Protein backbone atom coordinates (compact mmCIF):
# COMPACT_ATOMS: atom_id res chain seq x y z
CA UNK A 1 0.00 0.00 0.00
CA UNK A 2 1.73 3.15 -1.19
CA UNK A 3 0.09 5.43 1.38
CA UNK A 4 1.43 3.30 4.25
CA UNK A 5 4.92 3.22 2.73
CA UNK A 6 4.84 6.97 2.16
CA UNK A 7 3.89 7.57 5.80
CA UNK A 8 6.75 5.31 6.91
CA UNK A 9 9.22 7.18 4.72
CA UNK A 10 8.13 10.52 6.14
CA UNK A 11 8.63 9.15 9.66
CA UNK A 12 12.14 8.02 8.72
CA UNK A 13 13.10 11.36 7.19
CA UNK A 14 11.94 13.09 10.38
CA UNK A 15 14.99 11.46 11.99
CA UNK A 16 17.33 13.01 9.43
CA UNK A 17 17.85 9.77 7.52
CA UNK A 18 17.50 9.70 3.75
CA UNK A 19 15.83 6.70 2.09
CA UNK A 20 17.54 5.70 -1.13
CA UNK A 21 14.88 3.20 -2.20
CA UNK A 22 12.32 0.70 -0.95
CA UNK A 23 12.27 -2.98 -1.90
CA UNK A 24 10.08 -5.91 -0.80
CA UNK A 25 11.64 -8.02 1.95
CA UNK A 26 11.41 -11.20 -0.12
CA UNK A 27 13.10 -9.41 -3.04
CA UNK A 28 16.10 -8.74 -0.79
CA UNK A 29 16.03 -12.25 0.68
CA UNK A 30 16.05 -13.78 -2.78
CA UNK A 31 19.46 -12.29 -3.51
CA UNK A 32 21.02 -14.80 -1.11
CA UNK A 33 18.36 -17.52 -0.68
CA UNK A 34 17.85 -18.27 -4.39
CA UNK A 35 20.55 -18.82 -6.96
CA UNK A 36 21.00 -16.68 -10.06
CA UNK A 37 19.94 -19.64 -12.22
CA UNK A 38 16.72 -20.03 -10.21
CA UNK A 39 15.87 -16.35 -10.59
CA UNK A 40 16.56 -16.65 -14.33
CA UNK A 41 14.49 -19.81 -14.87
CA UNK A 42 11.66 -18.92 -12.50
CA UNK A 43 11.37 -19.16 -8.72
CA UNK A 44 9.13 -18.09 -5.85
CA UNK A 45 10.91 -16.97 -2.68
CA UNK A 46 8.87 -17.05 0.54
CA UNK A 47 10.38 -15.17 3.49
CA UNK A 48 8.77 -16.55 6.66
CA UNK A 49 9.20 -13.98 9.39
CA UNK A 50 7.82 -13.56 12.90
CA UNK A 51 4.79 -11.46 11.95
CA UNK A 52 4.60 -11.70 8.16
CA UNK A 53 5.18 -14.01 5.22
CA UNK A 54 6.37 -12.11 2.16
CA UNK A 55 6.73 -13.62 -1.31
CA UNK A 56 8.60 -12.61 -4.43
CA UNK A 57 8.42 -14.25 -7.85
CA UNK A 58 11.23 -14.04 -10.40
CA UNK A 59 11.61 -14.98 -14.03
CA UNK A 60 14.38 -14.04 -16.45
CA UNK A 61 16.15 -12.52 -13.47
CA UNK A 62 13.41 -9.92 -12.92
CA UNK A 63 10.94 -9.42 -10.09
CA UNK A 64 7.49 -10.01 -11.61
CA UNK A 65 5.27 -10.54 -8.56
CA UNK A 66 5.23 -10.00 -4.82
CA UNK A 67 2.69 -10.47 -2.03
CA UNK A 68 2.47 -10.45 1.75
CA UNK A 69 0.54 -12.20 4.51
CA UNK A 70 -0.04 -10.91 8.04
CA UNK A 71 0.95 -14.16 9.74
CA UNK A 72 4.22 -15.79 10.71
CA UNK A 73 6.20 -17.69 13.29
CA UNK A 74 4.82 -15.70 16.22
CA UNK A 75 1.40 -17.24 15.63
CA UNK A 76 2.93 -20.71 16.04
CA UNK A 77 4.42 -19.69 19.39
CA UNK A 78 1.08 -18.23 20.54
CA UNK A 79 -0.65 -21.51 19.66
CA UNK A 80 1.91 -23.43 21.74
CA UNK A 81 1.50 -21.03 24.66
CA UNK A 82 -2.27 -21.54 24.65
CA UNK A 83 -2.15 -25.30 24.08
CA UNK A 84 0.35 -26.04 26.88
CA UNK A 85 -0.38 -23.13 29.25
CA UNK A 86 3.08 -21.59 28.85
CA UNK A 87 4.53 -18.12 28.97
CA UNK A 88 5.19 -16.78 25.50
CA UNK A 89 8.99 -16.84 26.00
CA UNK A 90 8.81 -20.50 27.02
CA UNK A 91 6.60 -21.31 24.03
CA UNK A 92 9.09 -19.61 21.74
CA UNK A 93 11.94 -21.60 23.30
CA UNK A 94 9.95 -24.80 22.90
CA UNK A 95 9.35 -24.05 19.22
CA UNK A 96 12.98 -23.20 18.51
CA UNK A 97 14.55 -26.10 20.42
CA UNK A 98 11.95 -28.84 20.00
CA UNK A 99 9.59 -27.69 17.27
CA UNK A 100 9.28 -29.97 14.25
CA UNK A 101 6.84 -31.20 11.64
CA UNK A 102 8.35 -34.70 11.69
CA UNK A 103 6.53 -37.21 13.87
CA UNK A 104 8.50 -39.44 16.24
CA UNK A 105 7.54 -42.10 18.79
CA UNK A 106 4.14 -41.58 20.42
CA UNK A 107 5.78 -42.00 23.83
CA UNK A 108 8.43 -39.33 23.33
CA UNK A 109 8.18 -36.12 25.35
CA UNK A 110 9.90 -32.73 25.20
CA UNK A 111 10.79 -30.63 28.24
CA UNK A 112 10.19 -26.91 28.00
CA UNK A 113 13.33 -26.32 30.05
CA UNK A 114 12.12 -23.61 32.47
CA UNK A 115 9.52 -23.21 35.17
CA UNK A 116 5.88 -23.10 34.15
CA UNK A 117 3.24 -20.59 35.17
CA UNK A 118 2.95 -19.75 38.91
CA UNK A 119 6.35 -21.28 39.63
CA UNK A 120 5.31 -24.82 38.78
CA UNK A 121 7.96 -27.37 37.72
CA UNK A 122 9.03 -27.26 34.06
CA UNK A 123 6.26 -28.88 32.02
CA UNK A 124 6.89 -31.91 29.82
CA UNK A 125 5.12 -31.77 26.46
CA UNK A 126 4.10 -34.90 24.49
CA UNK A 127 5.99 -34.80 21.22
CA UNK A 128 3.01 -36.00 19.16
CA UNK A 129 0.79 -33.19 20.47
CA UNK A 130 3.57 -30.65 19.90
CA UNK A 131 3.72 -31.69 16.25
CA UNK A 132 -0.08 -31.52 15.97
CA UNK A 133 -0.27 -27.95 17.31
CA UNK A 134 2.52 -26.71 15.05
CA UNK A 135 1.20 -28.58 12.00
CA UNK A 136 -2.30 -27.10 12.26
CA UNK A 137 -1.01 -23.54 12.21
CA UNK A 138 1.59 -24.19 9.51
CA UNK A 139 -0.97 -25.90 7.25
CA UNK A 140 -3.28 -22.90 7.57
CA UNK A 141 -0.42 -20.55 6.69
CA UNK A 142 0.54 -22.64 3.67
CA UNK A 143 -3.09 -22.52 2.58
CA UNK A 144 -2.97 -18.71 2.65
CA UNK A 145 0.29 -18.82 0.69
CA UNK A 146 -1.33 -21.11 -1.88
CA UNK A 147 -4.17 -18.60 -2.31
CA UNK A 148 -1.66 -15.86 -3.09
CA UNK A 149 0.26 -18.03 -5.55
CA UNK A 150 -3.03 -18.91 -7.28
CA UNK A 151 -3.43 -15.20 -8.09
CA UNK A 152 0.13 -14.87 -9.37
CA UNK A 153 1.69 -15.39 -12.82
CA UNK A 154 3.00 -18.74 -11.50
CA UNK A 155 -0.42 -20.23 -10.77
CA UNK A 156 -0.26 -22.80 -13.59
CA UNK A 157 3.53 -23.21 -13.64
CA UNK A 158 3.79 -26.11 -11.20
CA UNK A 159 7.42 -26.68 -12.16
CA UNK A 160 8.46 -23.34 -10.63
CA UNK A 161 10.02 -24.12 -7.23
CA UNK A 162 9.51 -22.38 -3.90
CA UNK A 163 12.56 -21.38 -1.86
CA UNK A 164 11.90 -20.89 1.87
CA UNK A 165 13.88 -18.47 3.98
CA UNK A 166 13.37 -16.33 7.09
CA UNK A 167 13.55 -17.18 10.78
CA UNK A 168 10.33 -19.23 10.76
CA UNK A 169 11.58 -21.48 7.96
CA UNK A 170 13.87 -23.52 10.21
CA UNK A 171 11.22 -26.02 11.33
CA UNK A 172 12.43 -29.54 10.42
CA UNK A 173 10.23 -31.07 7.76
CA UNK A 174 8.81 -27.75 6.53
CA UNK A 175 10.15 -28.15 3.00
CA UNK A 176 8.46 -31.54 2.61
CA UNK A 177 5.13 -30.23 3.95
CA UNK A 178 5.22 -27.16 1.68
CA UNK A 179 6.09 -29.23 -1.40
CA UNK A 180 3.17 -31.59 -0.76
CA UNK A 181 0.69 -28.79 -0.01
CA UNK A 182 1.62 -26.60 -2.98
CA UNK A 183 2.26 -29.41 -5.44
CA UNK A 184 5.57 -27.94 -6.55
CA UNK A 185 9.26 -28.37 -5.59
CA UNK A 186 10.29 -26.66 -2.37
CA UNK A 187 13.57 -26.33 -0.54
CA UNK A 188 15.13 -24.34 2.29
CA UNK A 189 17.27 -21.43 1.13
CA UNK A 190 20.94 -21.82 1.96
CA UNK A 191 21.16 -18.42 3.62
CA UNK A 192 24.20 -16.14 3.88
CA UNK A 193 26.26 -18.33 6.24
CA UNK A 194 29.50 -17.54 4.46
CA UNK A 195 28.99 -13.81 5.00
CA UNK A 196 27.89 -14.02 8.63
CA UNK A 197 30.55 -16.30 10.05
CA UNK A 198 30.20 -19.26 12.44
CA UNK A 199 28.81 -17.18 15.34
CA UNK A 200 25.68 -16.19 13.39
CA UNK A 201 25.38 -19.24 11.13
CA UNK A 202 22.31 -20.45 13.03
CA UNK A 203 20.55 -17.15 12.32
CA UNK A 204 21.46 -17.06 8.64
CA UNK A 205 17.92 -17.55 7.33
CA UNK A 206 16.52 -14.92 9.68
CA UNK A 207 19.06 -12.39 8.37
CA UNK A 208 18.78 -13.16 4.65
CA UNK A 209 16.75 -10.00 3.91
CA UNK A 210 19.28 -7.80 5.72
CA UNK A 211 22.27 -9.35 3.99
CA UNK A 212 20.45 -9.43 0.65
CA UNK A 213 20.08 -5.64 0.67
CA UNK A 214 23.79 -5.45 -0.04
CA UNK A 215 23.29 -6.95 -3.51
CA UNK A 216 19.90 -5.42 -4.30
CA UNK A 217 19.34 -3.50 -7.50
CA UNK A 218 16.08 -1.75 -6.60
CA UNK A 219 13.11 -1.84 -8.99
CA UNK A 220 12.94 1.23 -11.21
CA UNK A 221 9.55 2.35 -9.89
CA UNK A 222 9.92 4.84 -7.07
CA UNK A 223 7.33 5.99 -4.52
CA UNK A 224 7.31 9.78 -4.11
CA UNK A 225 7.45 11.02 -0.55
CA UNK A 226 5.17 13.96 0.17
CA UNK A 227 4.84 16.00 3.33
CA UNK A 228 6.49 18.81 5.29
CA UNK A 229 9.69 16.82 5.78
CA UNK A 230 9.90 15.17 2.36
CA UNK A 231 13.42 15.21 0.88
CA UNK A 232 13.88 18.23 -1.34
CA UNK A 233 10.83 20.04 0.07
CA UNK A 234 10.73 23.83 0.21
CA UNK A 235 8.76 24.24 3.44
CA UNK A 236 10.17 25.69 6.65
CA UNK A 237 10.68 22.27 8.28
CA UNK A 238 12.44 20.89 5.22
CA UNK A 239 14.77 23.89 5.10
CA UNK A 240 15.41 23.55 8.85
CA UNK A 241 16.24 19.88 8.37
CA UNK A 242 18.67 20.73 5.56
CA UNK A 243 20.34 23.38 7.74
CA UNK A 244 20.74 20.96 10.68
CA UNK A 245 22.18 18.26 8.43
CA UNK A 246 24.63 20.69 6.82
CA UNK A 247 25.67 22.28 10.12
CA UNK A 248 26.08 19.24 12.34
Amino acid sequence: DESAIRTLLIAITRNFVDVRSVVPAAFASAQVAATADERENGVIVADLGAETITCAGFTRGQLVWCAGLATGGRQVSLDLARAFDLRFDDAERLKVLGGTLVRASETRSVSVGSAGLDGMPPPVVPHARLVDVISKRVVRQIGLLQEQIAKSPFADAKEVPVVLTGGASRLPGLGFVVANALGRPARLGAGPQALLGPELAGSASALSAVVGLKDCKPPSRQIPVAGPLAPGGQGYMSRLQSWVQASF
Side-chain angles (χ1 to χ4, degrees):
D1 182 13
E2 288 194 9
S3 62
I5 295 176
R6 189 176 294 110
T7 301
L8 177 62
L9 297 184
I10 292 173
I12 292 173
T13 57
R14 277 181 174 271
N15 294 279
F16 311 109
V17 177
D18 290 331
V19 178
R20 183 189 305 171
S21 60
V22 177
V23 299
F27 175 84
S29 297
Q31 308 308 309
V32 293
T35 66
D37 287 341
E38 286 176 326
R39 296 194 299 272
E40 181 68 25
N41 298 328
V43 68
I44 298 170
V45 176
D47 189 324
L48 284 62
E51 299 281 359
T52 60
I53 296 175
T54 55
C55 314
F58 294 80
T59 187
R60 297 182 181 178
Q62 301 297 316
L63 175 70
V64 296
W65 167 75
C66 61
L69 299 168
T71 184
R74 179 180 173 83
Q75 279 64 44
V76 176
S77 299
L78 289 172
D79 286 350
L80 292 174
R82 286 190 289 264
F84 301 113
D85 197 23
L86 302 172
R87 290 186 293 256
F88 177 81
D89 289 348
D90 289 333
E92 181 73 14
R93 184 181 300 107
L94 175 63
K95 181 188 70 175
V96 172
L97 298 180
T100 179
L101 294 171
V102 181
R103 292 191 177 276
S105 170
E106 293 292 330
T107 60
R108 180 184 171 191
S109 297
V110 180
S111 174
V112 173
S114 65
L117 296 176
D118 301 323
M120 299 297 290
V124 177
V125 174
H127 183 270
R129 192 176 173 211
L130 173 66
V131 174
D132 284 339
V133 173
I134 295 176
S135 297
K136 288 178 180 178
R137 174 62 65 177
V138 169
V139 167
R140 286 197 291 269
Q141 292 175 337
I142 296 173
L144 295 174
L145 178 60
Q146 171 72 346
E147 292 177 5
Q148 294 297 320
I149 295 176
K151 304 173 186 176
S152 76
F154 304 97
D156 298 324
K158 296 296 185 180
E159 72 281 1
V160 173
V162 175
V163 175
L164 306 170
T165 187
S169 69
R170 305 302 300 180
L171 279 172
L174 181 62
F176 179 79
V177 172
V178 170
N180 278 333
L182 299 183
R184 60 178 73 234
R187 70 169 180 86
L188 185 66
Q193 289 96 332
L195 296 175
L196 296 175
E199 297 83 2
L200 295 176
S203 304
S205 293
L207 298 173
S208 58
V210 176
V211 178
L213 285 172
K214 178 181 66 69
D215 298 322
C216 270
K217 294 181 180 179
S220 58
R221 182 166 177 259
Q222 299 295 319
I223 297 175
V225 181
L229 285 177
Q234 298 302 315
Y236 170 75
M237 293 301 294
S238 291
R239 287 186 280 112
L240 177 61
Q241 176 187 1
S242 299
W243 177 79
V244 171
Q245 288 177 320
S247 301
F248 301 99

